[in-house]
Amino acid sequence: MKIKFCGAAKTVTGSCYLIETRERKFLVDCGMFQGSVHDLNTSPFPFNPAEIDFMILTHAHIDHSGRIPILVKNGFKGSIYCTSATAELAQVMLKDSAHIQETEAQQKTKKRLRKGLEPVEPLYTIVDAELAGKYIYPVSYDKTEIIDENISFTLKDAGHLLGSAIVQIQINEDGQKKIITFTGDLGNFNIPIIKDYEYIEKTDYLIMESTYGNRLHEIDNQANDLYEIIVNTVKRGGNVILPAFAVGRAQELLYLLNYYIDIEKRKKIKNVEVYLDSPLAKSATEIFGRHMECYDDEAVKLFLKDTHPLDFSNLKIIESPEESQELNKKNGVVIISSSGMCEAGRIKHHLKHNIWREDCSLVFVGYQAEGTLGRKILDGAEKIKIFGEEMVVKAKIYRIESLSGHADLNGILNWVKNIRHGVSKQIFITHGEEEAAENLKKEIEKLTAAEVIIPNMNEEYKI
């Protein structure tokens, strides 16, 4: 049996793992590359998609699901297994991603045609994304799904996003039973709405993420910090801009603003207009409302009392491009918009109109991959380019780490420590920049006798 690391090797995006047994070839995840490695999206897969029997999807985020339409375009016809929440989210996210691919291709084509160059084709279209959605097959947490007499798998809650899963695959080969576990993305503790991650009993091989393998999240009061930023910014006459992943983080922010800020403080910002400017976030919020099986106890209690817990009187949902453009004439408002890493979508327009203003605030609440616009701003860039125009960064920049969807170093190590019977063979560290992966490797080696490996891109191992 072999495993090939076709993505997320010494980088955070592009998760894709090929497992090959004597009789089967299958994938875990097929994600899009973002940031400094985005050019890899146009590279051929290091395998023949038509030969892949099936796929298991850990969760819907684009860095785990975003190349599924390309996989289907190139001949894949197997089932894509995931939780029911992931199935719904992935289908709307892939169509949204396709819309972005088409729009960007059209814009590039216009510029190229003026220069007498060939047009640019999108990575995939909305039609491609809709076709890919037909291969998605929802399954339940904690129920063993049998592929054949030699392969089965079980999904456990990863606590990272609505429907996110840890994947445990049981494989019989040459009379031996092996368990291979993929963590997917492990969630941070006490994320609003969804449950914390689950533990596993044992595994022979572990493929685990290392996004924050070299960081500890600062202990902060997420609600009060956000409240103070909003109050102080509005007092100055500025806007609060929140780049947020449309699926997951946007809903958590709405929940936070609605419930976590105490009643007296909430009264003080009840007249501050809050705008959710993302058609995808609107669709995702509706999906969140249909999946109470993923909620933690606190959220269940609140949802039973309030049938619209992600809505409040001063929240306005923006849908049309025209409405979005009107926001740039406003002052003293909160704008939640995607994409979370400031690479595409409406957030770039809001940055263009606010990042140069000293009275405004830009608040990061999620991971910013290397090479992205969000990462450049967070790292202290004094000037940035948006739509080819250079702009000075004058807005106040904040980061609320406790809202991150990823476990920090202690959260990852805690999960490893709680594998009751440990890891018997090897641990492969992926989904992290090199420094984070190296640090996590060093810390995990203190906890286990298992061999710990950081694979390179497209490296293959016999297991």
Side-chain angles (χ1 to χ4, degrees):
M1 181 165 47
K2 295 181 288 188
I3 179 169
K4 178 178 278 192
F5 295 86
C6 307
K10 297 184 178 178
T11 185
V12 173
T13 62
S15 289
C16 185
Y17 312 101
L18 171 66
I19 299 91
E20 188 173 350
T21 69
R22 188 167 286 112
E23 298 177 351
R24 296 274 194 174
K25 292 180 182 179
F26 63 94
L27 299 178
V28 173
D29 289 346
C30 189
M32 186 172 284
F33 294 95
Q34 297 166 304
S36 58
V37 293
H38 74 277
D39 287 346
L40 292 173
N41 290 319
T42 57
S43 300
F45 290 110
F47 51 80
N48 182 354
E51 294 178 356
I52 303 300
D53 295 299
F54 65 94
M55 175 186 154
I56 304 171
L57 177 61
T58 61
H59 64 286
H61 278 150
I62 287 298
D63 61 323
H64 292 258
S65 68
R67 289 206 294 166
I68 290 175
I70 305 174
L71 191 75
V72 173
K73 274 178 71 173
N74 283 276
F76 173 80
K77 289 185 170 24
S79 294
I80 300 169
Y81 299 100
C82 58
T83 66
S84 58
T86 294
E88 285 197 63
L89 290 173
Q91 293 191 60
V92 297
M93 290 187 77
L94 290 175
K95 282 190 276 189
D96 182 75
S97 175
H99 173 69
I100 291 171
Q101 306 305 321
E102 289 182 340
T103 301
E104 290 186 347
Q106 288 169 3
Q107 291 169 347
K108 290 176 182 176
T109 292
K110 282 183 182 179
K111 292 179 181 179
R112 289 176 63 85
L113 290 176
R114 290 190 200 112
K115 297 176 182 179
L117 301 174
E118 292 296 314
V120 173
E121 292 295 323
L123 278 174
Y124 52 86
T125 66
I126 291 174
V127 172
D128 295 326
E130 289 174 341
L131 176 61
K134 294 179 180 180
Y135 293 92
I136 295 176
Y137 182 83
V139 299
S140 301
Y141 282 123
D142 298 315
K143 180 186 175 185
T144 299
E145 294 291 327
I146 298 171
I147 301 297
D148 59 30
E149 66 274 14
N150 294 315
I151 302 176
S152 61
F153 71 90
T154 308
L155 304 182
K156 309 285 284 185
D157 199 328
H160 168 70
L161 172 70
L162 192 85
S164 62
I166 296 161
V167 180
Q168 282 210 286
I169 305 166
Q170 300 83 34
I171 297 176
N172 297 329
E173 193 168 65
D174 298 330
Q176 293 184 324
K177 292 183 179 180
K178 298 184 179 76
I179 301 175
I180 305 172
T181 302
F182 293 81
T183 62
D185 288 354
L186 291 174
N188 195 7
F189 283 123
N190 297 319
I191 291 178
I193 306 175
I194 64 174
K195 299 174 185 175
D196 290 339
Y197 57 52
E198 291 184 275
Y199 300 107
I200 61 171
E201 291 287 312
K202 62 181 179 179
T203 191
D204 296 303
Y205 299 92
L206 176 62
I207 294 85
M208 71 177 312
E209 70 124 318
S210 58
T211 310
Y212 285 118
N214 61 340
R215 285 190 65 93
L216 297 176
H217 296 324
E218 291 182 13
I219 299 173
D220 51 32
N221 186 324
Q222 51 195 9
N224 280 336
D225 287 349
L226 187 55
Y227 165 81
E228 295 293 343
I229 292 167
I230 292 171
V231 168
N232 292 333
T233 305
V234 170
K235 193 180 293 183
R236 296 192 301 268
N239 297 319
V240 178
I241 308 299
L242 284 146
F245 300 109
V247 179
R249 203 68 69 249
Q251 290 73 34
E252 290 155 14
L253 283 168
L254 298 182
Y255 186 76
L256 191 70
L257 288 167
N258 202 9
Y259 285 109
Y260 277 45
I261 296 175
D262 68 54
I263 294 174
E264 289 307 311
K265 287 183 176 178
R266 222 182 303 153
K267 286 179 182 176
K268 293 179 182 178
I269 61 171
K270 69 177 182 179
N271 294 322
V272 177
E273 295 174 343
V274 177
Y275 293 94
L276 179 62
D277 185 19
S278 168
L280 174 58
K282 180 179 183 292
S283 299
T285 301
E286 293 168 356
I287 293 170
F288 264 65
R290 294 197 288 270
H291 288 278
M292 285 183 65
E293 76 276 6
C294 299
Y295 300 167
D296 59 24
D297 291 341
E298 179 186 50
V300 169
K301 290 175 185 174
L302 288 171
F303 275 54
L304 290 174
K305 287 193 296 183
D306 182 353
T307 55
H308 299 287
L310 300 181
D311 194 8
F312 42 93
S313 60
N314 52 322
L315 172 68
K316 294 177 173 55
I317 308 293
I318 299 299
E319 295 193 53
S320 72
E322 292 75 23
E323 287 178 304
S324 180
Q325 290 164 14
E326 285 297 309
L327 293 184
N328 295 316
K329 300 175 183 177
K330 292 183 175 289
N331 290 308
V333 301
V334 176
I335 301 173
I336 303 168
S337 187
S338 59
S339 69
M341 296 185 193
C342 306
E343 282 292 277
R346 296 179 180 180
I347 189 62
K348 294 182 77 172
H349 294 275
H350 299 310
L351 289 178
K352 178 181 176 181
H353 288 271
N354 293 277
I355 193 108
W356 51 271
R357 295 174 52 185
E358 292 183 352
D359 55 358
C360 292
S361 296
L362 175 60
V363 187
F364 289 101
V365 292
Y367 185 78
Q368 304 299 309
E370 188 175 12
T372 61
L373 180 58
R375 178 66 167 266
K376 291 172 186 173
I377 296 169
L378 198 55
D379 284 347
E382 295 181 357
K383 293 181 179 179
I384 58 170
K385 276 193 174 182
I386 302 178
F387 303 122
E389 183 179 350
E390 187 173 79
M391 296 190 174
V392 65
V393 178
K394 290 288 188 181
K396 289 179 170 54
I397 310 300
Y398 298 93
R399 175 195 226 161
I400 301 181
E401 291 193 334
S402 62
L403 275 173
S404 171
H406 287 270
D408 65 3
L409 175 60
N410 284 344
I412 297 170
L413 295 177
N414 176 69
W415 188 83
V416 174
K417 287 176 188 175
N418 280 280
I419 301 174
R420 184 176 295 180
H421 301 293
V423 182
S424 64
K425 301 291 186 184
Q426 293 171 316
I427 298 174
F428 296 94
I429 296 180
T430 65
H431 201 286
E433 293 169 16
E434 285 195 56
E435 187 179 333
E438 289 288 354
N439 189 70
L440 183 59
K441 177 179 186 290
K442 180 182 70 176
E443 294 298 324
I444 287 180
E445 285 175 335
K446 298 174 184 177
L447 303 177
T448 178
E451 182 183 14
V452 184
I453 299 167
I454 302 174
N456 293 309
M457 194 74 76
N458 295 323
E459 194 166 6
E460 186 174 86
Y461 289 83
K462 287 185 178 180
I463 60 175

